[in-house]
Amino acid sequence: MERLPAMQSSTTRSHSSVRVALRLPFNAAEVADYLFLQDVVCLWLGPDAKLFPNLGSDAVLPKGAAISAEGDDSASDNFGRVSELKWPAKESLTTSTSQKSDTKKQPDIGRKFELTVKLDDRSGGGQVSIRISPCARDKQRLSSSERGKCNTTPEALDNCRIRIAQTGLRTEDECRLALKAWQSVVTRLDHLMKQVKHAKRRERQAIIVVHGVGEQRPGQMLREFVKNVFEEDAGEAHFVKPDRLSSLFEMRMVTVPRNDGSRPTTDVYELYWAHLIRDTTLAQVYAWVWRLLWSDRESIPRSLTTLVRSIRIGLGIAAAALLWLGGTDVSAWIKGLGISALLVLPAIAKFALSIFNKEFVIGYAGDAARYLEPLAGNIARRQEIKEAGANLLDALHSNGRYARIVVYGHSLGSVIAYDILSHAWTRLSRQRDDVPRTCSRALRQLESQLNPREPAKSSTVDEIQQLQYAAWQEYRRNGFQWRVSDLVTAGSPLAHASWLLNLDSKTRFDDLKQERTLPTCPPQTEEMKVPGPRCEPRRRRGFTFTHAYDDPQRPKAKCSVQVPHHAGLFALTRWTNLYFPYHGLYKGDPIAGPLAAPFGGWVKDVPLRSTDGFAHTRYTDRASEPEAVVKVREALNLSFHRPLAEYM
């Protein structure tokens, strides 16, 4: 904060005026939004002050800024009414961290916010004007032609000037008292905004990385992720520190310091679970693979249909040949040779697999078989993994350090990430702090996307994600503790959920979605009646219900706010999915694919470039797939911007 040398008074024969000013390191639209919240007005204008940016509204300004009309020179209030208002409709600069600055979409970047209060006779007449205008840091050094352009440049976004002027003062004594009063206002404002700036500098966000299948070692995925996603060559240094939230002594976390832009300090944690799936047997893996091979045709993914069909045909030919040889009257030596050949093929296959069964069958396919197959023998392992993830999320929510949490899952880790978020949502989404006021406008706007008035007009996934982020911010302002804003999946087998996530032959994946056991994006809705024109009820689809709570400021009052239902996780958490398209038998990632079809159209699927070879391990490999790493970084939305109102 910088107090400008424009704090002065001036006097003429007909009237006198005073003017004070202060430069603030925030953009003008944010400051205008923040300073005129009634709770904030009392902090800088005074405890009895009242001022709203509404034309014609009553205003009460600080004591001492005027002498009463009756000639009493004791301190008195300034009473008046807002007579002039220049308050551009705000295209919220604080809505989404994923949005880049775009002057076409953000018309208020170079606009001024100005409010004039006309004082009434009991305050001695005159007027007070408050102006908030953007300015570049080095605007004083610019030429006159350049100075006119600086209000629309990105440099103007993080700097503004607030000027307060009072005119119509009649005597030097009135000027002296008014100047003293407004100097006190500027001092309080300077102190308030320094507190906000300090809070912003201390802000942190957390990323949870969930590794995939295989004999992973503690910290292996964490170090690979940080090394590739954060660019050390660009000055993004990182520091490895002890992970005090984990019960494993082996674990570490990584801190990436804040930059001078919009990314706060970022702590990266790893959810390590490889040690929790042990003692997997070949029989368990083969039983799982056998069940998948003989699933019904509708549940097998199209991208894998050819592969599954080829294996089925091969097994069918082998079985038919064995039966034919056993029942056909041919020479004994021919029959024996044929049967021996057919019997030796499985033995050869078993021998080949035994060479690397610990590395592949047990270490890779075994992890998937144990986690994805909900048999009684696997439930304990699944429970331990989910509990570890839920405990980490609980710790990140409860310690109060993090304003935002992002979860990243690769391969089977994406399924685990999905499961722990689903479980954590039911535990944490209703935890709430008392706040004086609540609002459900953003959440209702998001819900209205499922009830379009113009069926021909549909929002893009990017627009939906903006609405989800706005609803998440609103949910936080309403006092709720849910901090997870984004789920990012890469190489996710959830693309084959209808094949992998069936509970049994009678309870299919679609049934689990419909009954809200598995959250979808958008959430499952139900039909409800709402008032319509002429008091005629109409029907609409919704995923929220009314949550009643007590107002601490009004003990006898009952208040309410809209909240998503128990499977409404993705009303507030954005889901971005990255995958390499799979072509032929060796190009791309056969394990992954788009998720919008199985989980809903609000999932943002990001197909990466076509590539040769098995690409499942390349999502965070800067050396082989730099474009994929850029997409992962974009999906994480590392830039994070909170409205100033949240720092009260």
Side-chain angles (χ1 to χ4, degrees), residues 168-179:
L169 299 169
R170 294 163 298 187
T171 66
E172 289 291 343
D173 288 337
E174 289 188 357
C175 287
R176 175 176 52 80
L177 291 172
L179 183 59

Side-chain angles (χ1 to χ4, degrees), residues 76-150:
S76 62
D77 288 329
N78 266 326
F79 296 93
R81 182 165 295 181
V82 178
S83 59
E84 296 180 18
L85 191 66
K86 183 181 181 182
W87 217 260
K90 288 167 278 301
E91 294 269 341
S92 174
L93 298 178
T94 63
T95 297
S96 176
T97 62
S98 64
Q99 305 305 308
K100 296 183 178 179
S101 299
D102 185 346
T103 54
K104 293 181 180 180
K105 296 182 180 180
Q106 299 170 348
D108 300 329
I109 288 178
R111 304 283 295 273
K112 297 178 180 179
F113 296 78
E114 190 166 5
L115 178 150
T116 300
V117 176
K118 185 173 180 59
L119 302 175
D120 55 26
D121 292 338
R122 55 182 168 167
S123 299
Q127 64 183 27
V128 174
S129 65
I130 300 176
R131 175 186 297 174
I132 303 172
S133 55
C135 62
R137 290 189 179 117
D138 299 325
K139 187 173 180 178
Q140 297 91 337
R141 304 176 189 174
L142 302 178
S143 64
S144 59
S145 60
E146 293 171 329
R147 195 173 299 168
K149 300 177 182 179
C150 73

Side-chain angles (χ1 to χ4, degrees), residues 327-363:
T328 304
D329 187 15
V330 296
S331 300
W333 68 271
I334 297 178
K335 183 180 296 187
L337 181 63
I339 294 176
S340 299
L342 291 173
L343 291 177
V344 80
L345 287 176
I348 294 173
K350 183 177 180 180
F351 175 75
L353 289 176
S354 67
I355 297 176
F356 58 98
N357 62 17
K358 185 175 181 181
E359 179 69 22
F360 179 76
V361 180
I362 300 297

Side-chain angles (χ1 to χ4, degrees), residues 346-503:
I348 294 173
K350 183 177 180 180
F351 175 75
L353 289 176
S354 67
I355 297 176
F356 58 98
N357 62 17
K358 185 175 181 181
E359 179 69 22
F360 179 76
V361 180
I362 300 297
Y364 289 86
D367 288 348
R370 297 294 299 280
Y371 189 86
L372 295 174
E373 188 79 336
L375 298 177
N378 298 333
I379 295 301
R381 304 285 79 81
R382 288 159 55 103
Q383 170 66 20
E384 290 175 349
I385 294 173
K386 294 178 183 179
E387 190 173 359
N391 289 340
L392 178 56
L393 278 173
D394 284 346
L396 294 179
H397 278 82
S398 61
N399 66 12
R401 297 186 70 193
Y402 300 107
R404 173 175 178 252
I405 301 171
V406 179
V407 180
Y408 171 85
H410 171 252
S411 187
L412 182 61
S414 66
V415 185
I416 295 172
Y418 172 83
D419 285 344
I420 64 174
L421 283 179
S422 303
H423 182 64
W425 168 260
T426 61
R427 293 169 57 175
L428 301 173
S429 63
R430 299 291 181 270
Q431 294 184 10
R432 181 177 177 275
D433 296 328
D434 290 331
V435 294
R437 290 185 303 274
T438 57
C439 175
S440 300
R441 184 176 302 141
L443 191 58
R444 288 188 180 278
Q445 185 178 2
L446 178 65
E447 196 174 42
S448 68
Q449 297 297 310
L450 304 175
N451 299 275
R453 295 184 178 180
E454 300 178 20
K457 184 180 180 181
S458 59
S459 300
T460 64
V461 176
D462 288 331
E463 292 171 339
I464 292 294
Q465 289 203 332
Q466 290 181 39
L467 294 175
Q468 286 174 301
Y469 189 76
W472 175 78
Q473 286 186 310
E474 178 186 75
Y475 206 64
R476 294 193 55 220
R477 289 193 296 271
N478 288 343
F480 292 97
Q481 295 299 308
W482 185 248
R483 292 289 185 267
V484 183
S485 65
D486 290 89
L487 168 63
V488 180
T489 54
S492 177
L494 288 172
H496 315 312
S498 61
W499 194 34
L500 300 174
L501 299 188
N502 296 311
L503 184 63

Side-chain angles (χ1 to χ4, degrees), residues 16 155 318:
S16 301
E155 289 81 3

Side-chain angles (χ1 to χ4, degrees), residues 507-623:
T507 310
R508 314 295 287 175
F509 171 70
D510 289 339
D511 299 328
L512 296 174
K513 288 194 303 181
Q514 190 65 33
E515 68 185 22
R516 305 180 188 175
T517 297
L518 298 177
T520 56
C521 185
Q524 294 293 313
T525 61
E526 59 186 72
E527 194 174 73
M528 55 188 69
K529 294 182 179 180
V530 295
R534 300 180 182 179
C535 298
E536 297 178 359
R538 60 185 180 88
R539 297 184 179 275
R540 67 190 301 272
R541 307 297 303 182
F543 52 76
T544 64
F545 65 92
T546 302
H547 174 74
Y549 63 93
D550 296 327
D551 188 344
Q553 296 183 352
R554 296 178 297 169
K556 296 183 179 180
K558 288 292 183 181
C559 302
S560 64
V561 65
Q562 295 300 117
V563 298
H565 57 62
H566 69 272
L569 163 66
F570 296 108
L572 306 177
T573 300
R574 299 176 292 194
W575 189 349
T576 305
N577 175 61
L578 300 98
Y579 66 97
F580 286 102
Y582 176 58
H583 303 288
L585 296 177
Y586 64 93
K587 292 184 178 181
D589 185 359
I591 297 173
L595 299 185
F599 287 94
W602 288 4
V603 179
K604 182 178 180 180
D605 283 315
V606 181
L608 304 174
R609 73 178 186 90
S610 298
T611 181
D612 292 337
F614 186 64
H616 185 63
T617 59
R618 301 180 188 173
Y619 291 92
T620 52
D621 187 347
R622 188 181 295 277

Side-chain angles (χ1 to χ4, degrees), residues 175-297:
C175 287
R176 175 176 52 80
L177 291 172
L179 183 59
K180 182 179 179 180
W182 291 119
Q183 285 176 333
S184 298
V185 167
V186 169
T187 299
R188 291 194 296 268
L189 180 58
D190 185 35
H191 179 69
L192 172 65
M193 301 310 287
K194 282 180 177 177
Q195 288 181 317
V196 172
K197 183 178 180 181
H198 182 64
K200 286 180 71 71
R201 291 185 65 87
R202 294 180 58 191
E203 189 154 71
R204 306 177 84 93
Q205 64 182 357
I207 301 176
I208 299 176
V209 177
V210 189
H211 67 79
V213 296
E215 293 290 330
Q216 299 274 352
R217 298 186 179 185
Q220 180 180 346
M221 175 66 176
L222 175 69
R223 288 173 172 83
E224 176 191 338
F225 179 86
V226 173
K227 179 182 177 181
N228 287 277
V229 172
F230 295 94
E231 303 179 67
E232 193 169 1
D233 295 339
E236 293 185 322
H238 61 270
F239 306 96
V240 180
K241 300 179 179 180
D243 183 355
R244 295 183 175 87
L245 301 181
S246 175
S247 60
L248 296 176
F249 294 157
E250 302 282 344
M251 299 309 299
R252 296 292 184 267
M253 51 88 69
V254 174
T255 295
V256 184
R258 65 183 299 273
N259 58 16
D260 293 332
S262 55
R263 192 195 70 217
T265 299
T266 303
D267 291 338
V268 187
Y269 295 84
E270 179 182 12
L271 174 61
Y272 181 73
W273 54 268
H275 67 297
L276 296 175
I277 293 186
R278 312 304 302 166
D279 304 323
T280 303
T281 64
L282 284 174
Q284 290 174 317
V285 178
Y286 292 151
W288 176 65
V289 172
W290 184 262
R291 182 184 67 81
L292 294 180
L293 285 175
W294 299 104
S295 299
D296 57 84
R297 185 169 52 184

